[in-house]
Amino acid sequence: MTRVTWYYDVISPYAYLQSARLDVLPAAVELECLPVLFAGLLDHWGQKGPAEIPAKRVFTFRQTKWRAEKAGVPYRLPPMHPFNPLRALRLAIALGGDLAMIRRLFACVWQDGLLPDDDDGWRGIQQALDVTDGDALVAQPAVKQQLLDNGQRAIAEGVFGVPSFVVDGEVFWGDDSLDFLLDYLADPAMFDDPEIARIETIQPSAVRR
C-alpha cells in the first residue's frame, strides 16, 4: 500500500471539487485525510488567500462554478466567503475524518450554504452529520491540538495551500494536480528526469521586497 496524505480546508472550493474525485485514486493507495486551517498556511508562507484579492476572488468563484458544472458536481456559493472554518475542521477531527463524512461536510458548505461560523449554519451542519452536541465535540482540547498538529505537519512537509496531496515527501497542490499525482503514483521515477531535477537548482535573479 502507498500512503497518501490529503490536506484540505472546507473553506476551499477547490478542495470541495477535488473531494468529489478522490475515488479515482488507485486501490493500492491508503488515503489519509487531514483538515488544516488554510489561513495558518497563508500566514506561515506570507501569502494572501484568493478571496483577499478582489479580482482573483471573482475569477476563483467563476472558475469553480464552471468547473463544477463541467464535472456534474452540485455547487452553490455560500452566502459569505471567506468565513471562519474552525468549528467545521475540528468537527471533522472529532468525528474521525473518514471520506464519506468529509464529503457530507463539504456539501453542507458548498451545496447547502451552511457556514460553521453562523449559528443557524452550525446547527444545520450538526443536523446533516447527525451530531447532537457539536459544541462539546469541538471544544475538546485533544481535538483543538490535533488541528494545530496537522497544520504544523503540513508546513513541515512543505504544504503551502489546499487541497494538497503529500506522498514520498512530494507535494501535489491544487485541484488540477490530481492527474499529476496519478502519473507519479504510476511512475515515481518521473521525478528522476534530469530537467525536473534541475528545477530545484534554479535560483531567482531578483527578489521582491
Side-chain angles (χ1 to χ4, degrees):
M1 296 289 285
T2 300
R3 189 175 185 83
V4 175
T5 301
W6 184 60
Y7 291 102
Y8 70 92
D9 187 336
V10 296
I11 201 170
S12 168
Y14 293 107
Y16 164 60
L17 294 176
Q18 192 171 77
S19 72
R21 300 193 294 134
L22 294 178
D23 292 334
V24 303
L25 292 172
V29 164
E30 179 186 358
L31 184 65
E32 176 187 32
C33 301
L34 295 182
V36 291
L37 185 64
F38 180 38
L41 301 180
L42 295 176
D43 287 344
H44 177 81
W45 297 108
Q47 305 176 77
K48 285 187 175 182
E52 297 178 87
I53 303 171
K56 191 172 185 179
R57 178 179 183 275
V58 172
F59 173 83
T60 293
F61 292 132
R62 283 177 174 171
Q63 188 204 35
T64 49
K65 171 64 174 172
W66 168 77
R67 291 188 65 166
E69 290 181 350
K70 293 281 284 187
V73 176
Y75 180 102
R76 179 170 175 255
L77 189 65
M80 289 185 293
H81 197 285
F83 55 86
N84 187 337
L86 267 177
R87 287 197 288 198
L89 300 176
R90 290 171 179 168
L91 186 62
I93 292 171
L95 296 181
D98 68 274
L99 184 55
M101 181 276 298
I102 292 167
R103 284 171 167 164
R104 291 199 302 273
L105 185 57
F106 268 113
C108 286
V109 174
W110 293 101
Q111 294 179 31
D112 303 327
L114 302 174
L115 297 181
D117 59 352
D118 171 80
D119 288 341
D120 289 337
W122 178 232
R123 280 191 292 270
I125 289 172
Q126 293 176 76
Q127 291 172 0
L129 273 61
D130 297 320
V131 171
T132 56
D133 194 351
D135 290 329
L137 290 175
V138 302
Q140 296 176 86
V143 168
K144 294 180 177 181
Q145 187 60 51
Q146 185 62 59
L147 184 60
L148 292 173
D149 291 346
N150 289 353
Q152 289 302 309
R153 174 178 162 184
I155 289 169
E157 292 181 327
V159 172
F160 51 87
V162 290
S164 285
F165 297 103
V166 176
V167 57
D168 300 333
E170 306 291 351
V171 177
F172 297 82
W173 164 67
D175 180 36
D176 57 355
S177 73
L178 183 52
D179 289 339
F180 190 18
L181 170 68
L182 293 175
D183 282 357
Y184 174 82
L185 291 172
D187 179 23
M190 65 184 288
F191 280 8
D192 295 335
D193 177 276
E195 185 61 18
I196 290 181
R198 189 176 72 89
I199 291 171
E200 296 186 18
T201 70
I202 296 175
Q203 300 296 316
S205 61
V207 177
R208 183 167 58 89
R209 298 184 183 278

